[in-house]
Amino acid sequence: MPYYMYVSLQDDDKILLFTMDAGTGKLTPKGEVPVAGGPSPLTMSPDRKVLYVGHRNVPGISSFRIDPNTGELTQSGTVSPEAAPTFLSTDRNGRYVLSSYYQGAHAAVHPVGHDGAVGGPPIEWLETAIGAHAIQTDPSNTFAFVPHIDNRGGPNAIFQFKFDPHTGHLTPNSPPRVGQPTGTGPRHFCFHPSKDMLYFSNEQGSSVTGYNFDPANGTLSAFQTISTLPTGHEQSNTCSQIQISPSGTFLYAPNRGHNSIAGFSVDASSGRLTAIGHVSTEERPSAFSLDPEGNFLVAAGSETDRLASYRVNSDTGALTALETYPVGKRPMWVLMTHLGG
């Protein structure tokens, strides 16, 4: 069966649908759906039946039912928060949509209906600080983290919360923040698939920091920071998203400025990262996604309006360029998945 891929075009007000051949990585356009208001962040329910879309130009969050046979989208609900969401996720049970607000300086939790549709007021509209750039719950669904970048007044810290999966409420953990060295700017993060570890991409620091996660207390402690740039690079650069392979063997983080994807191998016992090199990509790669098996990677150039696809070497993690695809104005999110089953 093919994989399905959704791409949000913030300045074209639409979401594109592609299929990917699981053997070759070839992308085939399958349609598009108009989404007003500047669609940007995307996330999917745990059962892969609902796609959630954040609107950046006219603040909103919308839900779309996913046809399990075709991947086609049908809108099922919408809400209008007080600010534009920068990041969306669901809790581990799919009962709530969590969102963070970079300019809006908040984190929020919205309930969803039995069919996954959004529509009600937020359960939580929690003031954090300017620069809130992501939010996710941990695998136990009882803690959550909200990183804040080190720019435009952002506090350069990761906020730690307790999350109640029954009510959807967030409460500050102890300690409520994990501070960072000046100029770090934690932005996005991913959980190791089998270890109590998290990895954050650092927007201003052009680096990745690994953290040990205490599953009893829901707290983080850093164990490594490693640059995403080659030695000697001194031009302006920021990091964007981050993703670890399903096997936990490799990790990737794009560079905006250097316009590359940095790759790392992940030590099987310690979780420490070792740089494995860079591959050039489209200009300003703000978004990318690995396929569900970690065999292919697709990155979006938000300045060139193209996607670039790569094959992942299963032994080394190295990326080999395959094809580029023109898609439209300002692709800001790429989400690959499999449907049904």
Side-chain angles (χ1 to χ4, degrees):
M1 293 180 63
Y3 301 135
Y4 292 83
M5 185 177 78
Y6 299 94
V7 179
S8 62
L9 300 179
Q10 185 170 320
D11 290 354
D12 269 345
D13 284 346
K14 65 178 67 171
I15 294 174
L16 305 184
L17 169 64
F18 294 82
T19 56
M20 172 186 274
D21 185 296
T24 66
K26 178 74 174 180
L27 298 176
T28 302
K30 290 295 183 180
E32 60 185 53
V33 59
V35 180
S40 184
L42 304 176
T43 196
M44 187 171 288
S45 61
D47 61 9
R48 305 185 301 280
K49 293 181 179 180
V50 183
L51 183 74
Y52 299 98
V53 182
H55 309 248
R56 294 295 304 279
N57 297 334
V58 179
I61 300 172
S62 297
S63 55
F64 292 80
R65 293 192 305 273
I66 301 170
D67 186 311
N69 298 310
T70 66
E72 294 178 354
L73 302 176
T74 303
Q75 188 166 346
S76 61
T78 189
V79 293
S80 299
E82 297 177 28
T86 309
F87 188 97
L88 302 178
S89 65
T90 69
D91 78 303
R92 301 288 172 154
N93 297 326
R95 293 182 57 190
Y96 306 100
V97 174
L98 290 73
S99 48
S100 62
Y101 298 79
Y102 169 56
Q103 289 90 352
H106 276 72
V109 180
H110 281 85
V112 302
H114 68 278
D115 60 352
V118 294
I123 292 168
E124 198 76 77
W125 180 251
L126 183 66
E127 183 174 2
T128 58
I130 194 81
H133 230 307
I135 182 171
Q136 292 184 73
T137 62
D138 78 302
S140 75
N141 212 34
T142 54
F143 301 103
F145 302 97
V146 182
H148 293 68
I149 61 170
D150 187 13
N151 191 25
R152 301 179 185 176
N156 189 37
I158 301 165
F159 287 30
Q160 303 184 132
F161 293 98
K162 296 178 181 178
F163 175 72
D164 188 328
H166 304 291
T167 66
H169 285 296
L170 296 166
T171 54
N173 204 346
S174 180
R177 299 188 185 190
V178 181
Q180 315 294 315
T182 300
T184 302
R187 175 185 170 103
H188 284 182
F189 62 102
C190 58
F191 290 85
H192 192 286
S194 60
K195 294 182 178 297
D196 292 327
M197 296 176 182
L198 284 74
Y199 299 91
F200 282 74
S201 60
N202 298 318
E203 180 172 316
Q204 284 72 45
S206 295
S207 58
V208 171
T209 300
Y211 294 81
N212 288 308
F213 169 59
D214 181 337
N217 296 307
T219 53
L220 303 178
S221 56
F223 65 83
Q224 180 191 22
T225 296
I226 185 170
S227 177
T228 61
L229 293 170
T231 302
H233 181 82
E234 296 180 355
Q235 283 73 35
S236 175
N237 185 78
T238 59
C239 280
S240 56
Q241 298 183 350
I242 188 169
Q243 194 169 350
I244 194 168
S245 63
S247 64
T249 307
F250 305 112
L251 181 143
Y252 301 93
N255 288 301
R256 301 176 300 180
H258 189 249
N259 296 326
S260 64
I261 301 168
F264 303 89
S265 62
V266 184
D267 185 85
S269 58
S270 69
R272 291 183 65 85
L273 304 178
T274 301
I276 56 176
H278 304 79
V279 63
S280 296
T281 195
E282 295 293 311
E283 188 175 348
R284 197 164 178 81
S286 290
F288 80 108
S289 181
L290 290 164
D291 77 274
E293 299 299 324
N295 295 322
F296 299 98
L297 185 152
V298 176
S302 61
E303 296 293 335
T304 62
D305 301 336
R306 290 193 297 262
L307 303 178
S309 63
Y310 304 85
R311 182 183 293 275
V312 179
N313 185 302
S314 60
D315 295 322
T316 67
L319 302 178
T320 301
L322 296 176
E323 294 187 60
T324 59
Y325 302 83
V327 287
K329 295 179 182 177
R330 205 175 180 193
M332 289 298 290
W333 215 271
V334 180
L335 191 159
M336 277 198 277
T337 187
H338 58 88
L339 300 177

